[in-house]
Amino acid sequence: DMYQADFRELEPLLDDLLDKKNDNLEDAERAVAAKGMATAANLLSQKFTLVITNVPYLGIRSQSNTLRSFCEKFYNQSKHDLATAFQDRFGASEKCATIACVSPKPWLFLSSYQDFRKSLLKNSQWNILSLLGTGAFSSISGAVVNICLNIHTFDNPRANHFFAGID
């Protein structure tokens, strides 16, 4: 079963599919997509010391029922956007792990993220918070995405810890 198999078990099978001469373009595309998903699943299952990422943005209203249920079950405090669920997941990676993440900034102030913010304040040291704004991506025009860069180290916060805030 592909959903329960370890990536090391799937990788040779996916490689075989990709290596075969296949005249059916749809089958070839499915094999490439499956390999990409399996690789991503393998990466997400590991523990990390440093994660630097621009997470995928997908609000809860645009999520499929399966994805929404998964986020509600495992990332209830951060479920309202896939971006914050990713931050939550990476934060649970490893004690003393650091995450540098570009994400939509509503989690900084919306009441639906209050528990997520409290958890971050309680369980991590904030290193940098920079409000990048709506013009941060040159490829996206207008006020489509309003983002921030936040860097946290998941360790018990020290009383004398300072962090940088950049607007």
Side-chain angles (χ1 to χ4, degrees), residues 34-147:
K35 176 147 184 162
M37 287 183 269
T39 301
N42 181 50
L43 286 171
L44 290 171
S45 70
Q46 297 178 27
K47 293 188 180 256
F48 297 91
T49 301
L50 175 64
V51 175
I52 302 171
T53 185
N54 178 3
V55 292
Y57 309 162
L58 187 64
I60 195 167
R61 290 186 188 119
S62 300
Q63 295 172 10
S64 69
N65 290 336
T66 303
L67 181 58
R68 187 178 309 119
S69 295
F70 178 84
C71 289
E72 286 173 351
K73 181 176 180 180
F74 294 102
Y75 304 105
N76 194 50
Q77 297 177 348
S78 56
K79 67 185 175 192
H80 301 286
D81 195 296
L82 190 57
T84 48
F86 264 72
Q87 289 181 79
D88 207 356
R89 162 63 183 100
F90 287 129
S93 241
E94 183 90 19
K95 186 85 167 151
C96 297
T98 297
I99 179 171
C101 185
V102 175
S103 67
K105 73 177 194 181
W107 69 267
L108 292 170
F109 55 85
L110 290 180
S111 61
S112 55
Y113 293 103
Q114 182 175 359
D115 290 338
F116 178 62
R117 286 191 302 275
K118 284 181 180 179
S119 176
L120 279 179
L121 287 167
K122 184 178 177 182
N123 299 309
S124 70
Q125 292 188 139
W126 291 42
N127 301 310
I128 294 175
L129 178 61
S130 177
L131 304 179
L132 302 176
T134 56
F137 293 122
S138 61
S139 60
I140 301 174
S141 61
V144 177
V145 180
N146 196 355
I147 59 172

